[in-house]
Amino acid sequence: MNEWPEGWSDDNRSGNRYGQGSMSDRPEGARSMPHVQRRPAPPRQRPAPPRQRPVPQQPAGYDEGPQYDSGYDSGYSSGQVYGGGRGGGQGDGPGGGGYPQGRPASTPDWRRRIKIGALALVVVVLAVSIGTYFWADSKLKREVDLSKVIERPEGGDGTNYLIVGSDSREGMTSDDKKRLHTGSAEGKRTDSMMILHDGSNGPTLVSLPRDSNVEIPSFVGSESGKRYPGKGRTTKLNAAYAEDGPELLVRTVEFNTGLRIDHYVEIGFGGFAKIVDAIGGVELDIPKAFKDKWSGADFQAGKQTLDGQQALAFVRTRHAFTSDLDRTKNQQKFLAALASQTATPSTILNPFKLYPTMGAGLDTLIVDKDMSLWSLGQMFFALKDVTGGDGTSLNMPISGSTGGNLVWDKAKVKQLVEQLKNDDKVTVTDN
């Protein structure tokens, strides 16, 4: 009994039937038409697809359907119209890759990259700048309390700094003292004093000779808090510092000039030499040769670069000159040159030079409690402008001496102070 449906036989399972219901092993067309010998069809030349044109997606099941016997010749090329697989062209590689597939690679967005890079650079610079500011600010020794100074004069326009170079040996070893010719005296005294006025008409640097004859006014002790009445006693200016420190020195300068001091800055011997060495020395033009065994100075005339030891000897030399006024002129000249050569791009933009210089200076600076790093920077650049042609430098005008102390010219001092208070252009001279 045949278990297959009617019209089916075991031959239907062989997969060789070509017509539905046919019992023959040939297609129906082969039985109904005479056999014609066909020549193989030449390969069809396929036109190149448009460049960069993506291959259209084929419908699902495009390649599916009945599989015919390999012996059947349909007369068509076996090539694929749209390409097969990834790359879909008639390339030599796997999958026929040869034509671009998908979107072309996008070019880098350089504008966006530059913006991101610039933003990152700004963030780094800000972070370093802020960090440096707080690091430097933390190193300032704010030890002078100007609120203890009594009976102060009214302030004026601009800012007035009292800059003091002391003979403090703090932090110096025995070898340092010997090398720098500082001696081993205990305590500290003022070796130089200057008033720097920074205003709209350019900076003015006024040296106060240490041997100036001044009156010690009434004052309140910086340590004891006890009030000491003024007795009309006159002495050398540097004696005020030796008696009760920076506060009494400020009080004495204000009392004898009538000019209010806004900020106080002091540096000792060791710190001064370290700053000079940190910037690689200071170039100076010395007009006349001089020598002093007390300070260790031994200079020839002409341009030369001074290291820390030589710089300290240069500003301390007294015995090689006939008057202390010559020494104060040298101090002004060197301080302005130091500021000018430090505030340069080669120092400021070079961290290997900037940080040692700042560290050497800030570690040894003593300032007032209200001094900010910003104010200190303004003072420094004002000193630089003194030698840049935008400022003026002079000694406190002198009218004579008492034999040992220098007497100020009261009329010129009064005129000078009025010009500084009003921030006018200074016309007073020290001649």
Side-chain angles (χ1 to χ4, degrees):
M1 181 177 176
N2 190 349
E3 297 179 358
W4 295 94
E6 184 178 355
W8 284 68
S9 69
D10 289 344
D11 290 337
N12 296 123
R13 290 181 293 169
S14 65
N16 292 328
R17 56 184 293 271
Y18 289 89
Q20 196 170 24
S22 173
M23 299 295 292
S24 172
D25 58 355
R26 290 189 303 165
E28 291 184 45
R31 289 185 288 115
S32 60
M33 295 180 64
H35 179 72
V36 179
Q37 183 68 32
R38 294 186 179 182
R39 294 180 182 178
R44 300 180 64 181
Q45 297 297 323
R46 181 177 50 181
R51 300 182 66 181
Q52 301 295 332
R53 184 175 179 181
V55 177
Q57 294 291 332
Q58 304 302 323
Y62 175 82
D63 292 330
E64 297 176 1
Q67 299 296 314
Y68 298 104
D69 185 87
S70 58
Y72 175 69
D73 186 0
S74 65
Y76 288 93
S77 168
S78 60
Q80 193 171 359
V81 175
Y82 293 107
R86 294 178 180 251
Q90 48 183 357
D92 298 329
Y99 299 123
Q101 184 79 334
R103 276 198 289 175
S106 59
T107 58
D109 189 347
W110 290 109
R111 289 185 179 180
R112 184 170 178 269
R113 292 187 181 185
I114 291 173
K115 287 180 181 179
I116 293 175
L119 180 60
L121 179 62
V122 169
V123 170
V124 170
V125 170
L126 283 176
V128 171
S129 301
I130 294 172
T132 299
Y133 181 90
F134 284 104
W135 167 78
D137 189 72
S138 67
K139 283 185 168 292
L140 286 179
K141 297 179 179 179
R142 297 181 173 90
E143 299 176 0
V144 180
D145 190 356
L146 296 183
S147 67
K148 295 180 179 179
V149 180
I150 63 172
E151 301 174 13
R152 309 192 67 186
E154 292 293 326
D157 296 328
T159 304
N160 299 312
Y161 302 85
L162 181 59
I163 304 173
V164 175
S166 76
D167 64 0
S168 171
R169 282 86 173 167
E170 182 180 355
M172 295 174 62
T173 65
S174 298
D175 290 340
D176 290 336
K177 294 174 184 177
K178 184 178 180 180
R179 178 175 57 88
L180 298 175
H181 296 269
T182 63
S184 300
E186 296 297 328
K188 59 181 182 178
R189 287 150 293 278
T190 55
D191 207 59
S192 60
M193 290 161 284
M194 304 177 192
I195 294 174
L196 173 66
H197 174 80
D198 185 19
S200 58
N201 276 300
T204 301
L205 186 62
V206 183
S207 286
L208 308 175
R210 56 182 284 177
D211 295 338
S212 297
N213 193 66
V214 295
E215 180 182 341
I216 301 296
S218 58
F219 67 96
V220 173
S222 58
E223 297 293 335
S224 65
K226 180 180 177 181
R227 184 181 180 92
Y228 296 89
K231 299 179 180 179
R233 173 170 58 100
T234 59
T235 184
K236 292 181 179 182
L237 180 59
N238 65 342
Y241 183 94
E243 188 172 333
D244 198 56
E247 287 84 1
L248 180 54
L249 178 61
V250 171
R251 167 72 173 135
T252 302
V253 170
E254 289 186 343
F255 178 82
N256 285 271
T257 62
L259 185 68
R260 186 184 181 95
I261 300 299
D262 299 299
H263 292 295
Y264 177 92
V265 181
E266 177 187 324
I267 187 168
F269 284 163
F272 183 83
K274 286 179 181 178
I275 292 175
V276 175
D277 285 335
I279 66 169
V282 173
E283 186 180 67
L284 205 64
D285 189 0
I286 301 176
K288 185 179 179 181
F290 64 90
K291 189 174 182 178
D292 180 11
K293 68 175 184 178
W294 302 101
S295 66
D298 187 3
F299 297 104
Q300 300 299 316
K303 282 189 176 182
Q304 49 206 288
T305 300
L306 279 58
D307 61 19
Q309 176 185 345
Q310 294 170 320
L312 188 57
F314 180 82
V315 299
R316 291 183 61 225
T317 296
R318 301 180 61 207
H319 301 283
F321 309 119
T322 57
S323 169
D324 196 45
L325 298 178
D326 293 324
R327 185 174 78 121
T328 57
K329 286 289 188 182
N330 281 346
Q331 291 171 346
Q332 286 182 345
K333 182 177 182 179
F334 184 85
L335 191 60
L338 173 64
S340 178
Q341 295 175 41
T342 302
T344 60
S346 62
T347 298
I348 296 175
L349 300 180
N350 184 354
F352 298 102
K353 201 171 183 180
L354 175 64
Y355 286 98
T357 302
M358 293 179 67
L362 297 174
D363 278 342
T364 55
L365 282 182
I366 296 175
V367 299
D368 63 273
K369 292 182 180 294
D370 294 327
M371 173 72 85
S372 67
L373 196 62
W374 177 259
S375 296
L376 188 63
Q378 287 182 310
M379 182 201 81
F380 189 75
F381 281 96
L383 282 172
K384 178 179 181 292
D385 289 341
V386 170
T387 55
D390 297 327
T392 305
S393 62
L394 70 156
N395 279 316
M396 187 64 80
I398 303 297
S399 61
S401 70
T402 62
N405 298 349
L406 298 173
V407 178
W408 292 353
D409 186 325
K410 292 185 178 179
K412 283 191 172 183
V413 170
K414 183 178 180 180
Q415 183 183 2
L416 173 62
V417 170
E418 285 301 314
Q419 290 177 344
L420 295 178
K421 275 188 172 182
N422 297 329
D423 204 14
D424 296 330
K425 186 172 180 61
V426 173
T427 59
V428 176
T429 64
D430 52 11
N431 298 326

